[in-house]
Amino acid sequence: MGSSTCFHCGDPSGSSALFYDDKAFCCQGCKTVYEIFSENDLTCYYDLQSAPGITPKDVQGKYDFLGQQKIIDKLVEFDDAKSQIATLFIPQIHCSSCIWILENLKKLNSQISSSQVDFGKKTVRIQFNSQSYSLKEAVILLSSIGYEPYISLEDFSTGKSHVNRSLIYKLAIAGFAFGNVMFLSFPEYFEVGEYWLEEYKHFFRWLMFAFSLPVVFYSSQDYFTSAYKGLRAKTLNIDVPIALGIIVLFLRSTVDIMFDYGSGFFDSLTGLLFFLLLGKFFQQRTYSFLSFERDYKSYFPIAITKILKNGGEEPIQVYDIKKGDRLLIRNEELIPVDGILIKGKARIDYSFVTGESDAVSKKSGDKLFAGGKQSSGSIEMEALKSVEQSYLTQLWSNDVFNKVKEDSFTTLTNLISKRFTIIVLSIAFISTAFWLFVDSSKALNVFTSVLIIACPCAIALAAPFTLGNILRIFGRHKFYLKNATVIEQLAAIDTIIFDKTGTITSNKESTATYEGNALSLSEEVLLKNTLRGSNHPLSRTLYALLDENDIITLDEFEEHVGQGIQGFHQQDSMKIGSANFVGKTKTFAVLNTSVHISANNTYKGKFTFYNSYRSGLSQLFNNLKKQYDLAILSGDNEGEMENLKKLLPARTKLLFNQKPDDKLEYIKHHQTEGAKVLMIGDGLNDAGALAQSNVGIALSENVNVFSPACDAILDAEKLNNLSDFMKLSKSAIKIVKWSFVLSFMYNVVGVSFAVTGRLEPVVAAILMPLSSISIVVFTTIATNWTSRKLKKKHSSILPSI
Amino acid sequence: MEMQQFYYDNKIVKKFVYATLFWGVIGMVVGLLLAFLFLFPNLTDGVSWLSFGRLRPLHTNAVIFAFVGNAIFAGVYYSTQRLLKARMSSDVLSNINFWGWQLIIVAAAITLPLGFSSSKEYAELEWPIDIAIAFVWVVFGWNLIATILKRRQRHLYVAIWFYIATFVTVAVLHIFNSLALPVSAFKSYSVYAGVQDALVQWWYGHNAVAFFLTTPFLGLMYYFVPKAANRPVYSYRLSIVHFWSLIFIYIWAGPHHLLYTALPEWAQNLGVAFSIMLLMPSWGGMINGLLTLRGAWDKVRTDPVLKFMVVAITGYGMATFEGPMLSLKNVNAIAHYTDWIIAHVHVGALAWNGFLAFGMIYWLIPRLTKSKLYSIGLANLHFWIGTLGIIMYALPLYVAGFTQASMWKQFNPDGTLVYGNFLETVTEIMPMYWMRAIGGTLFLTGTLVMIYNIIQTVRKGSEVVDELAEAPALQRVSKKRVVGEHWHSWLERRPVQLTIGATIAILIGGIVQIIPTIMVKSNIPTITSVKPYTPLELEGRDLYIREGCVGCHSQMVRPFRDEVERYGEFSKAGEFVYDHPFLWGSKRTGPDLHRIGGKYSDSWHFNHMYDPQSTSSGSIMPGYKWLITDKLNKSNTETKLRTMVTLGVPYTDDDIANAQQSMADQGAKIEENLYSDPDFVKSYEDDKMNGGADFIEMRDREIVAIIAYLQRLGTDIKVKDLETTQN
Amino acid sequence: MSVIYLLLSLSILVAVIFFVAFIMAVKNGQYDDSYTPSVRMLFEDELVKEKPKKEKTSKLTNQE
């Protein structure tokens, strides 16, 4: 790393670099953070990781609402007279330096007594002296060093979620019992009739019985309940035969040891539960730093500044906003409710809510919709509706948000288990009937044996281990699934619908083309330097697009708000802005935004801005078109139509000016025609569509910040892998089916023992784990082998075991 | 909740480090002496307290409990304080722990050469010292747990868990294996007999290795390797799984040390099964340790500390792979009793324990003395000499092991043994013993280099002071105040209280268990013809124990064709019912002795004891001249018999009353037999002439007792009454 | 072989203790965060003016 990158954040600092302690910084912000650290000799921060920092944002006044007791009460999780504890979500946490600095906050301010990071959850739990310090100050301190917490309406409404660990307990108990029972049952397998063994086997057996009790009555609960539910709903789900097997195993074994028929099947019983629960445990891969259940709440601010009649300002919770309230929206702040612009130049970015790519300018009197983000200076507005009634939030009253998808979807396993159960039961009864005639003494033995050996442990394991493993592989490639069933649903997809803005276009950069007479070198220099002075979003974009020029100091610079900017250097002058500002009279309307230029009052030409599409997009579409119907639903205007036509395969449907509920309806319509729809979107405007679709994937530039409710979150940079992901989920289902075949073969062997009444405990004890383990091995190898293509571009956040 | 300032106790760490180095050298020197006794059996001729049999336990104890033990304490005391952000709960306890431990070691270093030994491997120390160990160990645990209670860091790092496990299990194991009935201040008999004693001993023996040489060092690995590499452990989740799975499997794996012995088959197989299972967690740990250094291999090339640790972890991997392999019955059939085992344990001790300790010390000393290591060059030198030493030590012994095993088992077409004379198998492997000695020398040299390096570092470094640190006290958040909060102080303290409570519970539970075990007459199928030892034989047996014969001679003929051919009828469980303690042994440097009785004449034994080479040339057994000259101490015989009675050995009151008489008679009988040897008569008569007042009758000398015992060995069952045995 | 009773009950007892300890540990949220602790233990907290050992990290050296 040369001096060209920022010592703090590692961004290219370029020619405009600032220097301090002979280290380069890209901006004032980074420099300040470094100064803070070096003053408190916390520069170890930079030793653990090179350039670990984040550029701080200006939060002037942003957190005034944290002054309000009512809000504080919601945010702190512990509060006695002296101290408060609050857990803050900090998306920026990404390396050991972050952990180190955040756990040394006390060195920055002695009022903070302790701070503990949870890297997985990306939270810091700070504890401070509430008499002399406040949450607000803490948050501002964090922001000042680049770790601005993400506080949203969600934190306000939802209470702290309670961690449910019952599965771990159940698994632990099963595993523990399994180990001990195995230990106790081994002797009788090795050597029968040995003098001492005869003496102790009863002791051993009853110990085994004791160990199996918690397993049967605690660890297997879920299976009994689920089986019961299934039967109530007249469906034979996989848990029915399992529950049956468990009961029979337990009763048969107990009877065996009671009347000294044999050592019982306790090892099989405990082992069965252990493996089943292991599968369950393995299948639930949760991403503690992600949430799939988000709605507008986690996007909206918790509070906003209200302007009182007397002109004073006070923070007010967005829920308390009433019609007619006057609100102050600062730069980069969100408009919480629909309202009317009163004062100030509004330039509002709706891309996230409506999908319009460009920020729109509003004059006072214009209507403002909730969800827009103000992007130039602060404005005043008057509320027309409360939060709940605002246009955007209305979307959530739609009932798609209330129905759970899984219910409508029966998994492969349950599909199989139906037939399986029937077959097993009939075999059991037939063979029993047979033995009743041949040798009635054996009949009961046979009946139980069949149910024991046919207990579909392996079948139940096939899906969890395959899908669980795929889930992890996806996760490693930044494709985060809500749960394993999503994979099965992905495999069934036949239609893929994309949102445009922010999904196939990238929010970050856009491209511009210049048309008109070429600019001389001096003019280019002047242009670049004039833009340099302006903070207008378009100017910034254009500035970034133009290639480096040497910096000159302008003699004069004027910003004509709403029209454009003007720069003077020696005798040259340059106007940049709207058509009539630069003095171009007749303009034919274009949908794409453009910036006009005139040098020394002679019109030169215009830069027209286009979205820039994510690289490899057309390639992706061409891969997909073979198996899937493709469509694009955009909230934007047709401006990009031509571009897209060029870019994408011919058969791709393109629809523009789609309102959120239009998208939802469109999907519903396709589904009624029997289509299985995958929706890929990013914004709140897609939320309805994502919920309606069979699988909704939210695309996100930064998975830690906001993404609407969905079944899966995909990191934007991995969009190109989509086709691979789809392929993989298809082959996952194949693997599951093959492992079914495998486990059936085991069952055949086992049953053949059982029906002939020759099922020794040792046979069961060998067959059961053998089948389970071989299934696990098979699925693991198979999944990893099929996913080797992805593996090449391996990337992982945390070391995974 | 307010910030608290406190000092880390570095002095105690320093003390333990120095002790580690000191005892390390002692242990290795003794080891080296033993290695050379293989080459020059009579190196210490006639000096009883320098004889091989007595020094062997000193070596093992010095290395395990003095060297490794002190290293453990040093590491634990350093890391625990920092992981818990708290000074050890009490300096007094810390110092009792330190000085108590050193005192015990000194006591061991004195008593073992004097022949005060229980003859149970790794537990040879006699009962007073055992009690002292238990006491000091509890002090250590108390100190550790008290520190956990006042910690300032809520999360218990995985290393701490390993330490807790070490404390609890070792306490339990030590107490139950050392249960013995005292006869005198320095003599006791194990409460268990024969097979039972063997089972308990190896349940202990294995777990001693597991929980004294492995778990604490894994804890140290999980602390010092990341520290030295300055990277987090490869997968913390894996380390947690590693700990819990290890804990749950280890405890079972004892009996595999007794494969093919008279232990019931199923018990043996159990040991095997669980030993195999051990492979998984062990290797999980090793991989986790090695992968921690991924991306840091450049550092490993330059930093000796990491070099030592890499070899240590690799050694752990090899040893934990070899262990389960050795527990496979067919492998064990070959390896057991041979030098393979010696090689196996030394890979563990030299590489895993030794090198990890060295790495740790090289890392610690500069930190304690706030200076840089005196010489990286010397440290690297130490590393290379040491590594070479390990290889030079292990490889030859593996070869030796194979050679012995194959020679022992070779048959001629006519069904006779190819190497009928055990000595041939010994002389064959002398070259390996030479190389082993050289390897050992190298390793020791390396250690000395290290000590010089450390001394220089300490010299130029600032003296060790307690380090100031600060951390906020743990906020005790009460449940009712905080909704949805998933821990609270009471629950939070729980596991610790639990460990204490539970340990006590086991002890009580154990005692309840043990009383009937001692009192109730053991229900081993008795063989009618098996009778208790006569008083003289019993005395002889105690001499056998005193001289540590069990270190080189097994008393367990396994049911293999070659062993039956070589030694005679294989051993039955029923033959050992009166053996307190059992003397099966674990190594055959010399032949098995279970069927030695009646094989040779008394004179032969007499001469053999005086000068082994005279009777069997090329033998590497040292002479036991003091047995021939010294008077047998018969003062305790009655007490011994009475103790045996308490333990369930059926001596009648007459037996006890007539003990002295019967000893005199049996002694006289043997003396008479000795007269059949003219040379003996000659020299003995000479002594008698000019012996004068302090002349001791032959019948009263120790040699007579030991001959009596040897001639009795394995003679109780004749092949004819085998039917009566149920085994 | 009555000693079997002893060894068995002892082993199981020890196992049970650790098992309970395990459950407790999980209950207390000891294992909720299975990454941060491994990083945390690397940080030195001594209040010494001497530069902590982290200064040695190779990353730093190739920065200036």
Side-chain angles (χ1 to χ4, degrees), chain B residues 11 23 56 154 165 210 224 230 268 274 281-282 316 325 362 383 406 497 593 601 631 689:
Chain B
K11 301 223 177 68
W23 291 119
R56 186 179 187 266
R154 175 159 283 108
F224 286 100
N230 192 28
Q268 298 179 21
F274 277 86
S282 309
Y316 174 66
M325 290 309 107
Y362 276 121
F383 172 78
S406 60
Q497 302 168 328
L593 298 182
S601 71
K631 185 173 194 300
M689 293 308 161

Side-chain angles (χ1 to χ4, degrees), chain B residues 253-267:
Chain B
H256 70 225
H257 290 258
L258 301 168
L259 294 178
Y260 291 112
T261 63
L263 187 73
E265 179 125 19
W266 51 270

